[in-house]
Amino acid sequence: MSALNFELNGRAVSTEAEPATLLIDLLRGTLGLTGTHQGCDTGQCGCCTVLLDGQSVKSCSVLAVQAAGRRVTTVEGLARPDGSLHPVQEAFVACHGLQCGFCTPGMMMTATCLLQHNPRPTQAEIEHALEGNLCRCTGYVHIVDAVKQAAVAMNGGGQ
Ligand code: FES
Ligand code: FES
């Protein structure tokens, strides 16, 4: 075990991890943040997506020790400090962007990353950004609509 310090959802975390521990296992198992879902464990489904220094990563494909000294944001960190929902969360609700919800945390983290780097994405850019996130339920149309609505809410508009 090695000491591991990083920022998680705006708060300093001091914990320990084995060299081979995956970030998803640290988040869900050691730290109890089960909003990050575990699907394929092979980097294909995207439901484990979190932000690492603002970039979306699949936490089943990142070692926990790679988070040392960095900022990690999970779906639990999206809501505002007063508990109100993030615009991406509000848009997924309003646009019916989820059914079973298993893919939803990853979808929302990918969408958040996209909108932070590209405030007014085109339909094609949204679809491209979501390529690494699989959904078995929705057919993606409402998810793309949710990202468009979030872009309007956060940045005044998509294209
Ligand atoms: S669980 Fe990480 S990509 Fe599927
Ligand atoms: S809402 Fe069920 S997998 Fe996407």
Side-chain angles (χ1 to χ4, degrees):
M1 286 277 194
S2 308
L4 177 59
N5 301 303
F6 62 101
E7 184 184 304
L8 177 59
N9 297 332
R11 294 186 179 177
V13 167
S14 295
T15 184
E16 293 183 323
E18 299 282 359
T21 299
L22 296 172
L23 181 57
I24 188 171
D25 293 325
L26 183 85
L27 293 171
R28 289 178 54 87
T30 307
L31 301 175
L33 295 185
T34 54
T36 299
H37 287 170
Q38 193 158 22
C40 65
D41 258 346
T42 56
Q44 297 178 59
C45 75
C47 69
C48 66
T49 302
V50 301
L51 304 185
L52 186 59
D53 286 340
Q55 292 292 336
S56 61
V57 297
K58 293 175 177 174
S59 61
C60 72
S61 303
V62 175
L63 294 171
V65 293
Q66 291 177 269
R70 301 172 75 181
R71 278 182 300 121
V72 176
T73 308
T74 69
V75 69
E76 289 91 345
L78 277 189
R80 301 184 183 99
D82 67 1
S84 59
L85 295 180
H86 185 281
V88 168
Q89 294 172 305
E90 290 178 337
F92 269 73
V93 173
C95 297
H96 308 288
L98 65 151
Q99 289 182 26
C100 80
F102 196 78
C103 71
T104 310
M107 289 286 183
M108 292 195 299
M109 299 316 289
T110 298
T112 300
C113 179
L114 170 67
L115 296 176
Q116 285 174 350
H117 292 91
N118 181 359
R120 294 177 178 80
T122 63
Q123 167 110 8
E125 287 169 336
I126 295 170
E127 291 173 356
H128 179 69
L130 295 174
E131 274 179 0
N133 292 74
L134 303 182
C135 177
R136 293 171 294 183
C137 304
T138 66
Y140 300 95
V141 172
H142 293 296
I143 292 173
V144 173
D145 286 347
V147 180
K148 289 179 185 171
Q149 178 165 314
V152 172
M154 292 169 68
N155 306 305
Q159 293 180 20

